[in-house]
Amino acid sequence: MTKLETQAAAVKAASRVLAVAGTERKNAVLLAAADALTERRDEWLAANAADLAAARTAGMRDALLDRLALDEKRIAAVAEGVRQVAALPDPVGAVVRDVVRPNGLHLVQRRVPLGVAGIIYEARPNVTVDAAALCLKAGNAVLLRGGKEAIRSNLAVTAILRDALTAAGLPADCVALVEDTDRRSAAEMMELTDYLDVLIPRGGAGLIRSVTAASRVPVIRTGEGVCHIYVTASADLDMAARILYNAKCSRPSVCNAAECVLVDKPVAEAFFNAALPLLDSKHVELRGDAKLCNILGTRCREASEADWDAEFGDYILAAKTVSGPDEALAFIAAHGTGHSEAIITSDAALAERFLNEVDAAAVYVNASTRFTDGFEFGLGAEIGISTQKLHARGPMGLEELCSTKWCVYGTGQVRE
């Protein structure tokens, strides 16, 4: 066995213990972990500072540095997120269906853990904790494989989590970190069908597509976020400008940030008169169609075809004028990734049409796409935003990290 196979086998063995650990013990681990994250934050911050220094030396851009960076406020938020997960109802054992057949068989469908989740992700050390907390509460062991940019941060926080497991009498291997950040380790994880029940990639579109294409382990696609804001002719343009600013600029590196704005042609100039002062405050680069470039002059550069499909993850915004809802809906269907889409309108009938016709995990009327998030949806921390249709879609909380089992009670029945 390779080193990774040996590690995965240990995680698999730990998963059988965790699956029957019960709510009280799982919550004890989570609460102990939350306290330890606060008490040992200096360890995590020191490791993160070393990661940040190396990333700056390597030329990492500011938006990605923001995703990598920790501070006391962010650590406090991460710890609070773990406490919130502990406070959520335990999905394991919950009854989905309870029926008695005409022959007297009593069938109960219950939620059960998936087993072992493998997570491949990039330079976001908070994902280490979010993923571990959610997997633990749902009774799943987890094998984590983060990016090389965050390896020191991930090693530090994984040690904290494993100590909390040991203190609660559960195997430390319920949470394990792949220390080898070479691409070969990710490729090997995709082959571990004997040990991993599901693989969840979290990161940019390139990572997600490569894992989906290459993995033999079942994959849940998460996080591909080419999100659109469609500003209609009937929109309150000041409100639309504020929503676009929030959706693009509050945190441009995340998957629920807007990457493209579509604007009905009759209100394009008026809308950008309202939006530009806000976008200019963050020096947002606009890449637009010919009509918009004509309106905005040097403030807008002409978009390439690739820009309409780009997940910029930065202060860059694609912008296109459209003739109306037919063109907007067709454009979103062609270029969206099924993540989050928003319409800004005062036309109730058009809003309903948008809700009905747009094929995405979350569809908004007069609100920012930035709300597509486990905390904001009341699910606690999330493992990711699923953009596929099986077996989960949208923010993946505890219930989405479970499968089901049919428990059948008989009194001697045999099939004729």
Side-chain angles (χ1 to χ4, degrees):
M1 294 175 69
T2 66
K3 181 179 180 180
L4 184 55
E5 285 176 314
T6 301
Q7 185 180 33
V11 176
K12 184 75 170 180
S15 73
R16 292 191 287 271
V17 179
L18 181 61
V20 295
T23 304
E24 187 175 340
R25 290 179 74 190
K26 291 187 292 186
N27 285 347
V29 170
L30 293 171
L31 293 174
D35 290 342
L37 288 169
T38 302
E39 293 163 4
R40 296 170 63 178
R41 62 183 176 273
D42 289 346
E43 295 176 36
W44 203 11
L45 287 170
N48 186 246
D51 282 333
L52 285 168
R56 290 190 184 99
T57 300
M60 179 181 285
R61 52 195 175 91
D62 288 346
L64 294 182
L65 284 170
D66 177 63
R67 298 181 83 159
L68 174 61
L70 294 170
D71 55 30
E72 291 199 6
K73 183 178 179 181
R74 286 187 177 179
I75 290 177
V78 169
E80 178 57 26
V82 176
R83 294 187 183 96
Q84 289 182 18
V85 171
L88 291 169
D90 190 342
V92 178
V95 174
V96 179
R97 293 184 182 89
D98 188 331
V99 297
V100 177
R101 298 294 297 150
N103 63 1
L105 282 179
H106 182 193
L107 282 64
V108 181
Q109 186 183 21
R110 297 175 181 164
R111 286 199 175 92
V112 295
L114 289 170
V116 179
I119 317 290
I120 297 178
Y121 56 107
E122 294 175 339
R124 293 183 65 181
N126 65 297
V127 171
T128 305
V129 180
D130 290 349
L134 278 165
C135 286
L136 289 172
K137 184 63 181 267
N140 300 302
V142 62
L143 182 62
L144 300 156
R145 196 275 187 191
K148 63 181 180 181
E149 298 85 359
I151 185 60
R152 301 169 187 84
S153 304
N154 290 338
L155 284 167
V157 77
T158 302
I160 294 171
L161 297 173
R162 288 169 65 89
D163 287 348
L165 281 159
T166 302
L170 287 171
D173 284 321
C174 291
V175 176
L177 178 73
V178 178
E179 298 183 18
D180 181 1
T181 60
D182 188 272
R183 289 186 178 182
R184 286 173 293 186
S185 66
E188 187 178 355
M189 274 186 75
M190 299 178 209
E191 299 287 327
L192 296 178
T193 54
D194 289 340
Y195 308 107
L196 301 184
D197 295 286
V198 65
L199 194 58
I200 304 174
R202 288 195 59 174
L207 170 69
I208 294 162
R209 290 168 187 167
S210 65
V211 171
T212 302
S215 181
R216 293 179 58 222
V217 178
V219 174
I220 297 177
R221 294 178 68 135
T222 70
E224 291 174 278
V226 179
C227 306
H228 299 81
I229 305 288
Y230 171 36
V231 181
T232 70
S234 69
D236 177 326
L237 298 184
D238 288 330
M239 178 178 73
R242 292 193 302 273
I243 288 172
L244 177 63
Y245 174 75
N246 177 264
K248 176 73 260 184
C249 299
S250 59
R251 202 168 180 195
S253 61
V254 294
C255 62
N256 57 21
E259 301 291 10
C260 182
V261 61
L262 306 174
V263 187
D264 278 346
K265 290 177 180 178
V267 297
E269 185 168 2
F271 169 71
F272 278 100
N273 284 340
L276 279 179
L278 297 173
L279 299 176
D280 286 346
S281 71
K282 293 293 186 179
H283 308 290
V284 175
E285 178 186 330
L286 286 177
R287 300 181 183 179
D289 62 2
K291 179 176 176 61
L292 195 57
C293 289
N294 186 55
I295 292 171
L296 299 180
T298 58
R299 181 60 185 83
C300 179
R301 56 173 278 191
E302 188 168 352
S304 68
E305 282 301 312
D307 288 328
W308 304 130
D309 297 299
E311 187 174 3
F312 298 111
D314 206 342
Y315 291 107
I316 303 169
L317 179 67
K320 179 174 175 59
T321 58
V322 293
S323 57
D326 288 346
E327 185 179 357
L329 287 164
F331 187 89
I332 291 170
H335 300 282
T337 54
H339 193 295
S340 300
E341 308 291 355
I343 186 172
I344 316 302
T345 186
S346 61
D347 184 332
L350 178 54
E352 283 302 311
R353 180 186 174 192
F354 191 85
L355 291 171
N356 290 335
E357 294 188 23
V358 170
D359 186 11
V363 188
Y364 293 82
V365 176
N366 296 332
S368 170
T369 57
R370 288 280 285 111
F371 286 104
T372 308
D373 173 87
F375 282 120
E376 297 293 340
F377 280 20
L379 304 175
E382 79 206 8
I383 203 78
I385 309 296
S386 172
T387 56
Q388 64 184 40
K389 299 180 182 180
L390 295 174
H391 85 117
R393 198 178 198 195
M396 289 187 61
L398 294 173
E399 290 185 1
E400 290 75 22
L401 283 170
C402 289
S403 182
T404 63
K405 173 193 292 184
W406 286 96
C407 301
V408 183
Y409 301 88
T411 55
Q413 289 89 339
V414 294
R415 186 168 177 175
E416 296 297 333

